[in-house]
Amino acid sequence: MKQVTVIAPAKLNLTLDVTGVLPGGYHALDMIMQTITLHERVVLRKSQGLSLRLPGSRVPPNDKNTAIKAALAFFHYTGLLAGVDMEVHKVTPVRAGMAGGSADAAAVLVGLNALYDARLSTSELCALGAQIGADVPFAIFGGTCRVQGLGDMLKPLPPCPDCWFTVVMPSVGVSTPAAFAAYDQMGSPVHPSAADAEKAIREEDLLGLCAACGNALEECSGAKETGRIKKLLTECGALASLMTGSGSAVFGVFDTEEKAKNAALTLKKEYKQVYLTRPDRGGARVLRHLPKKHGAAE
Protein backbone atom coordinates (compact mmCIF):
# COMPACT_ATOMS: atom_id res chain seq x y z
CA MET A 1 0.00 0.00 0.00
CA LYS A 2 1.54 3.30 -1.13
CA GLN A 3 -1.38 5.65 -0.51
CA VAL A 4 -4.52 5.90 1.62
CA THR A 5 -7.41 8.35 1.68
CA VAL A 6 -9.08 9.05 5.01
CA ILE A 7 -12.27 10.95 5.70
CA ALA A 8 -12.32 13.20 8.75
CA PRO A 9 -15.83 14.08 10.02
CA ALA A 10 -16.47 17.40 11.73
CA LYS A 11 -18.31 17.42 15.08
CA LEU A 12 -21.05 19.23 16.91
CA ASN A 13 -21.60 19.61 20.64
CA LEU A 14 -25.19 18.72 21.48
CA THR A 15 -24.38 19.68 25.07
CA LEU A 16 -21.37 21.38 26.66
CA ASP A 17 -21.02 22.15 30.35
CA VAL A 18 -17.99 23.30 32.33
CA THR A 19 -17.88 21.26 35.54
CA GLY A 20 -14.66 22.47 37.17
CA VAL A 21 -10.96 23.10 36.75
CA LEU A 22 -8.39 20.32 36.37
CA PRO A 23 -4.74 20.37 37.51
CA GLY A 24 -2.78 22.62 35.19
CA GLY A 25 -5.65 25.07 34.86
CA TYR A 26 -7.57 23.17 32.16
CA HIS A 27 -11.37 23.15 32.34
CA ALA A 28 -13.24 19.94 33.13
CA LEU A 29 -16.08 19.40 30.68
CA ASP A 30 -19.16 17.20 30.37
CA MET A 31 -20.44 17.01 26.79
CA ILE A 32 -22.45 15.05 24.29
CA MET A 33 -20.48 15.10 21.05
CA GLN A 34 -21.62 14.01 17.61
CA THR A 35 -19.72 13.55 14.36
CA ILE A 36 -21.55 14.75 11.26
CA THR A 37 -21.52 14.11 7.52
CA LEU A 38 -19.34 17.13 6.79
CA HIS A 39 -16.08 15.40 5.91
CA GLU A 40 -12.59 16.66 5.23
CA ARG A 41 -10.46 14.38 3.04
CA VAL A 42 -6.86 13.52 3.91
CA VAL A 43 -4.62 11.79 1.37
CA LEU A 44 -1.42 10.18 2.68
CA ARG A 45 1.41 8.90 0.49
CA LYS A 46 4.52 7.04 1.63
CA SER A 47 7.63 9.16 1.54
CA GLN A 48 11.08 9.49 3.09
CA GLY A 49 10.31 13.09 4.08
CA LEU A 50 7.43 14.93 5.70
CA SER A 51 5.29 17.42 3.79
CA LEU A 52 1.83 18.96 3.99
CA ARG A 53 -0.34 20.61 1.35
CA LEU A 54 -3.73 22.25 1.92
CA PRO A 55 -5.12 22.98 -1.56
CA GLY A 56 -7.36 26.03 -1.62
CA SER A 57 -7.09 26.66 2.12
CA ARG A 58 -5.75 29.69 3.97
CA VAL A 59 -4.63 27.50 6.86
CA PRO A 60 -0.80 27.61 6.96
CA PRO A 61 0.96 24.24 6.38
CA ASN A 62 3.57 24.80 9.11
CA ASP A 63 4.78 22.85 12.15
CA LYS A 64 1.86 24.18 14.24
CA ASN A 65 -0.61 22.35 12.01
CA THR A 66 -2.27 19.40 13.73
CA ALA A 67 -1.59 17.11 10.76
CA ILE A 68 2.16 17.68 11.10
CA LYS A 69 1.98 17.17 14.87
CA ALA A 70 0.07 13.91 14.39
CA ALA A 71 2.58 12.54 11.87
CA LEU A 72 5.52 13.38 14.13
CA ALA A 73 3.81 11.78 17.13
CA PHE A 74 3.06 8.62 15.14
CA PHE A 75 6.61 8.15 13.85
CA HIS A 76 8.10 8.91 17.27
CA TYR A 77 5.83 6.38 18.98
CA THR A 78 6.28 3.59 16.44
CA GLY A 79 9.97 4.20 15.81
CA LEU A 80 9.41 3.88 12.05
CA LEU A 81 12.16 5.50 10.00
CA ALA A 82 9.75 6.73 7.35
CA GLY A 83 7.78 9.75 6.25
CA VAL A 84 4.60 10.84 4.57
CA ASP A 85 3.32 13.37 2.06
CA MET A 86 -0.01 14.71 3.33
CA GLU A 87 -2.71 16.49 1.37
CA VAL A 88 -5.62 17.85 3.41
CA HIS A 89 -8.74 19.01 1.58
CA LYS A 90 -10.39 21.42 4.01
CA VAL A 91 -14.17 21.96 4.14
CA THR A 92 -14.83 22.59 7.83
CA PRO A 93 -14.88 26.25 8.86
CA VAL A 94 -11.90 27.51 10.87
CA ARG A 95 -12.41 28.69 14.47
CA ALA A 96 -15.90 27.28 14.35
CA GLY A 97 -15.91 24.83 17.28
CA MET A 98 -16.31 21.92 14.86
CA ALA A 99 -12.91 20.27 15.43
CA GLY A 100 -11.67 20.54 11.84
CA GLY A 101 -8.01 20.53 12.89
CA SER A 102 -8.57 17.74 15.40
CA ALA A 103 -10.34 15.67 12.74
CA ASP A 104 -7.34 16.12 10.43
CA ALA A 105 -4.97 14.93 13.17
CA ALA A 106 -7.21 11.92 13.80
CA ALA A 107 -7.25 11.13 10.09
CA VAL A 108 -3.45 11.27 9.90
CA LEU A 109 -3.07 8.87 12.86
CA VAL A 110 -5.67 6.44 11.52
CA GLY A 111 -4.28 6.68 7.98
CA LEU A 112 -0.64 6.18 8.94
CA ASN A 113 -1.63 3.20 11.05
CA ALA A 114 -3.13 1.62 7.92
CA LEU A 115 -0.49 2.87 5.47
CA TYR A 116 2.41 1.38 7.44
CA ASP A 117 0.44 -1.57 8.89
CA ALA A 118 1.52 -0.47 12.38
CA ARG A 119 -1.41 -2.28 14.03
CA LEU A 120 -1.82 0.24 16.82
CA SER A 121 -5.02 -0.25 18.84
CA THR A 122 -7.71 2.41 19.00
CA SER A 123 -6.64 3.07 22.60
CA GLU A 124 -3.07 3.70 21.47
CA LEU A 125 -4.23 6.01 18.69
CA CYS A 126 -6.43 7.93 21.14
CA ALA A 127 -3.54 8.28 23.59
CA LEU A 128 -1.39 9.71 20.81
CA GLY A 129 -4.24 11.98 19.76
CA ALA A 130 -4.66 13.35 23.28
CA GLN A 131 -1.09 14.69 23.06
CA ILE A 132 -2.14 16.81 20.08
CA GLY A 133 -5.52 18.16 21.13
CA ALA A 134 -8.44 17.51 23.48
CA ASP A 135 -10.88 16.71 20.65
CA VAL A 136 -8.60 14.29 18.77
CA PRO A 137 -9.55 11.11 20.71
CA PHE A 138 -13.22 11.74 19.98
CA ALA A 139 -12.43 12.51 16.33
CA ILE A 140 -10.78 9.08 16.11
CA PHE A 141 -13.70 7.31 17.75
CA GLY A 142 -16.58 9.36 16.35
CA GLY A 143 -20.29 8.65 16.40
CA THR A 144 -22.25 9.74 19.46
CA CYS A 145 -20.32 9.93 22.74
CA ARG A 146 -20.49 11.41 26.18
CA VAL A 147 -17.12 13.10 26.66
CA GLN A 148 -15.82 14.20 30.04
CA GLY A 149 -12.71 15.55 31.70
CA LEU A 150 -10.33 17.22 29.29
CA GLY A 151 -11.85 15.24 26.42
CA ASP A 152 -10.04 12.02 27.29
CA MET A 153 -12.95 10.18 28.95
CA LEU A 154 -15.17 8.77 26.20
CA LYS A 155 -18.39 6.84 26.69
CA PRO A 156 -19.82 5.52 23.41
CA LEU A 157 -23.58 5.95 23.14
CA PRO A 158 -26.22 4.49 20.79
CA PRO A 159 -26.64 6.45 17.55
CA CYS A 160 -28.23 9.88 17.77
CA PRO A 161 -31.99 9.86 17.01
CA ASP A 162 -32.63 10.37 13.32
CA CYS A 163 -32.40 14.07 12.48
CA TRP A 164 -30.82 16.72 10.27
CA PHE A 165 -28.48 19.58 11.17
CA THR A 166 -28.24 22.96 9.48
CA VAL A 167 -24.91 24.51 10.46
CA VAL A 168 -24.17 28.21 9.98
CA MET A 169 -20.75 29.84 10.27
CA PRO A 170 -20.89 33.52 11.25
CA SER A 171 -18.62 36.08 9.63
CA VAL A 172 -16.15 36.00 12.55
CA GLY A 173 -14.57 33.02 14.33
CA VAL A 174 -13.94 32.60 18.07
CA SER A 175 -10.67 31.95 19.90
CA THR A 176 -11.03 28.95 22.23
CA PRO A 177 -8.65 30.34 24.92
CA ALA A 178 -10.51 33.66 24.82
CA ALA A 179 -13.89 31.92 25.22
CA PHE A 180 -12.73 30.01 28.30
CA ALA A 181 -11.06 33.11 29.76
CA ALA A 182 -14.37 34.96 29.38
CA TYR A 183 -16.19 32.05 31.04
CA ASP A 184 -13.83 32.28 34.01
CA GLN A 185 -14.76 35.94 34.41
CA MET A 186 -18.47 35.82 33.60
CA GLY A 187 -19.65 32.31 34.34
CA SER A 188 -22.80 31.13 32.57
CA PRO A 189 -26.53 30.91 33.28
CA VAL A 190 -26.66 27.81 31.07
CA HIS A 191 -25.60 24.41 32.44
CA PRO A 192 -27.06 21.67 30.22
CA SER A 193 -27.42 18.17 31.59
CA ALA A 194 -25.40 15.64 29.60
CA ALA A 195 -27.09 12.95 31.70
CA ASP A 196 -30.54 14.03 30.48
CA ALA A 197 -29.27 14.14 26.89
CA GLU A 198 -27.74 10.69 27.24
CA LYS A 199 -31.03 9.32 28.59
CA ALA A 200 -32.93 10.79 25.63
CA ILE A 201 -30.45 9.30 23.15
CA ARG A 202 -30.80 5.86 24.74
CA GLU A 203 -34.59 6.19 24.52
CA GLU A 204 -34.40 7.41 20.87
CA ASP A 205 -36.24 10.53 21.99
CA LEU A 206 -35.32 13.42 19.66
CA LEU A 207 -37.59 15.94 21.42
CA GLY A 208 -36.09 15.01 24.79
CA LEU A 209 -32.59 15.35 23.39
CA CYS A 210 -33.36 18.77 21.94
CA ALA A 211 -34.82 19.89 25.28
CA ALA A 212 -31.51 18.94 26.93
CA CYS A 213 -29.30 20.70 24.36
CA GLY A 214 -27.25 23.67 25.52
CA ASN A 215 -23.79 25.21 25.68
CA ALA A 216 -22.32 26.86 28.78
CA LEU A 217 -19.86 28.83 26.64
CA GLU A 218 -22.47 30.40 24.39
CA GLU A 219 -23.20 33.48 26.51
CA CYS A 220 -19.53 34.42 26.98
CA SER A 221 -18.09 33.47 23.59
CA GLY A 222 -18.26 37.02 22.30
CA ALA A 223 -19.83 35.80 19.04
CA LYS A 224 -22.22 38.64 18.28
CA GLU A 225 -24.21 36.87 15.56
CA THR A 226 -25.18 33.82 17.62
CA GLY A 227 -28.54 35.15 18.81
CA ARG A 228 -29.73 36.18 15.37
CA ILE A 229 -28.72 32.89 13.76
CA LYS A 230 -30.48 30.91 16.50
CA LYS A 231 -33.63 33.00 16.02
CA LEU A 232 -33.64 32.40 12.26
CA LEU A 233 -33.10 28.65 12.70
CA THR A 234 -35.92 28.46 15.24
CA GLU A 235 -38.25 30.37 12.90
CA CYS A 236 -37.41 27.77 10.24
CA GLY A 237 -38.60 24.98 12.53
CA ALA A 238 -35.48 23.94 14.44
CA LEU A 239 -36.29 21.86 17.51
CA ALA A 240 -33.12 23.22 19.13
CA SER A 241 -30.54 25.79 18.10
CA LEU A 242 -27.20 26.45 19.78
CA MET A 243 -23.54 27.23 19.35
CA THR A 244 -21.10 24.31 19.04
CA GLY A 245 -17.90 24.01 21.08
CA SER A 246 -16.31 27.33 21.98
CA GLY A 247 -17.87 28.81 18.83
CA SER A 248 -18.57 30.37 16.60
CA ALA A 249 -20.63 28.03 14.38
CA VAL A 250 -24.33 27.71 15.25
CA PHE A 251 -26.58 24.82 14.30
CA GLY A 252 -30.22 23.85 14.32
CA VAL A 253 -31.65 20.37 14.84
CA PHE A 254 -34.50 19.41 12.50
CA ASP A 255 -36.76 16.39 12.37
CA THR A 256 -37.12 16.40 8.57
CA GLU A 257 -34.81 16.94 5.63
CA GLU A 258 -37.26 19.41 4.07
CA LYS A 259 -37.20 21.74 7.09
CA ALA A 260 -33.40 21.56 7.31
CA LYS A 261 -33.02 22.33 3.60
CA ASN A 262 -35.41 25.27 3.82
CA ALA A 263 -33.45 26.60 6.79
CA ALA A 264 -30.18 26.23 4.89
CA LEU A 265 -31.57 28.13 1.93
CA THR A 266 -32.92 30.88 4.19
CA LEU A 267 -29.67 31.32 6.11
CA LYS A 268 -27.66 31.20 2.89
CA LYS A 269 -29.19 34.56 1.99
CA GLU A 270 -27.17 36.18 4.80
CA TYR A 271 -24.24 33.83 5.47
CA LYS A 272 -21.71 32.39 3.03
CA GLN A 273 -20.93 29.18 4.92
CA VAL A 274 -24.06 27.09 5.51
CA TYR A 275 -24.00 23.30 5.69
CA LEU A 276 -26.72 20.66 5.56
CA THR A 277 -25.60 17.54 7.42
CA ARG A 278 -26.74 14.46 9.31
CA PRO A 279 -25.30 12.49 12.24
CA ASP A 280 -22.34 10.29 11.28
CA ARG A 281 -21.88 6.96 13.05
CA GLY A 282 -18.08 6.93 12.89
CA GLY A 283 -14.91 8.93 13.19
CA ALA A 284 -11.81 9.16 11.01
CA ARG A 285 -11.66 6.13 8.71
CA VAL A 286 -9.83 4.88 5.64
CA LEU A 287 -11.93 5.08 2.49
CA ARG A 288 -12.52 2.02 0.40
CA HIS A 289 -14.29 4.11 -2.25
CA LEU A 290 -14.89 7.79 -2.95
CA PRO A 291 -17.71 9.28 -0.80
CA LYS A 292 -20.72 11.18 -1.96
CA LYS A 293 -20.34 14.90 -1.38
CA HIS A 294 -22.04 16.43 1.64
CA GLY A 295 -21.95 19.99 2.78
CA ALA A 296 -22.65 23.49 1.64
CA ALA A 297 -26.20 24.37 0.73
CA GLU A 298 -26.75 25.22 -2.91
Side-chain angles (χ1 to χ4, degrees):
M1 187 184 296
K2 296 181 179 180
Q3 174 179 313
V4 296
T5 299
V6 190
I7 59 170
K11 65 85 176 170
L12 297 175
N13 290 87
L14 302 179
T15 73
L16 188 158
D17 193 19
V18 181
T19 58
V21 180
L22 297 169
Y26 293 103
H27 294 80
L29 304 173
D30 193 2
M31 308 174 284
I32 301 294
M33 295 174 70
Q34 176 67 55
T35 46
I36 59 175
T37 56
L38 179 64
H39 298 156
E40 301 203 338
R41 186 165 54 90
V42 180
V43 181
L44 307 176
R45 300 178 182 88
K46 284 184 176 179
S47 171
Q48 291 304 307
L50 185 64
S51 67
L52 172 63
R53 293 183 300 281
L54 298 111
S57 173
R58 295 181 181 179
V59 176
N62 55 32
D63 291 349
K64 294 182 180 180
N65 192 282
T66 55
I68 294 283
K69 291 180 179 180
L72 291 172
F74 175 86
F75 289 124
H76 177 76
Y77 181 78
T78 60
L80 286 167
L81 299 176
V84 63
D85 291 332
M86 299 177 285
E87 189 172 285
V88 178
H89 297 268
K90 300 288 294 178
V91 295
T92 305
V94 178
R95 300 178 80 180
M98 298 177 69
S102 295
D104 296 340
V108 169
L109 291 172
V110 169
L112 287 175
N113 196 38
L115 187 65
Y116 282 103
D117 194 25
R119 303 187 183 185
L120 302 186
S121 67
T122 300
S123 295
E124 287 177 294
L125 292 173
C126 286
L128 282 176
Q131 299 173 19
I132 301 159
D135 287 337
V136 180
F138 171 74
I140 292 170
F141 205 90
T144 312
C145 287
R146 185 168 177 181
V147 183
Q148 295 174 288
L150 189 60
D152 54 340
M153 299 167 60
L154 302 179
K155 180 200 286 188
L157 299 178
C160 178
D162 189 38
C163 63
W164 291 79
F165 303 118
T166 298
V167 186
V168 184
M169 180 63 188
S171 57
V172 179
V174 169
S175 161
T176 296
F180 278 103
Y183 176 88
D184 290 338
Q185 290 185 343
M186 301 170 54
S188 174
V190 177
H191 291 282
S193 171
D196 288 350
E198 177 181 340
K199 180 175 181 291
I201 289 168
R202 293 188 182 280
E203 294 175 354
E204 300 182 7
D205 177 7
L206 180 60
L207 289 177
L209 172 60
C210 288
C213 284
N215 187 335
L217 296 179
E218 190 174 291
E219 293 290 327
C220 57
S221 70
K224 297 180 179 180
E225 297 163 276
T226 301
R228 172 160 176 75
I229 295 172
K230 288 177 60 176
K231 180 175 182 292
L232 290 172
L233 288 168
T234 301
E235 289 173 352
C236 290
L239 301 174
S241 58
L242 64 153
M243 187 183 78
T244 181
S246 59
S248 61
V250 179
F251 68 96
V253 185
F254 295 86
D255 56 1
T256 69
E257 180 181 8
E258 181 181 5
K259 292 177 186 177
K261 280 184 175 179
N262 287 339
L265 291 172
T266 298
L267 272 295
K268 191 73 173 177
K269 295 174 184 176
E270 293 190 36
Y271 298 94
K272 293 181 180 180
Q273 293 175 283
V274 180
Y275 306 88
L276 180 67
T277 74
R278 303 197 74 185
D280 191 310
R281 294 195 177 193
R285 53 200 183 267
V286 175
L287 273 183
R288 304 303 174 189
H289 54 82
L290 290 176
K292 294 180 180 179
K293 291 184 178 181
H294 295 271
E298 297 298 331

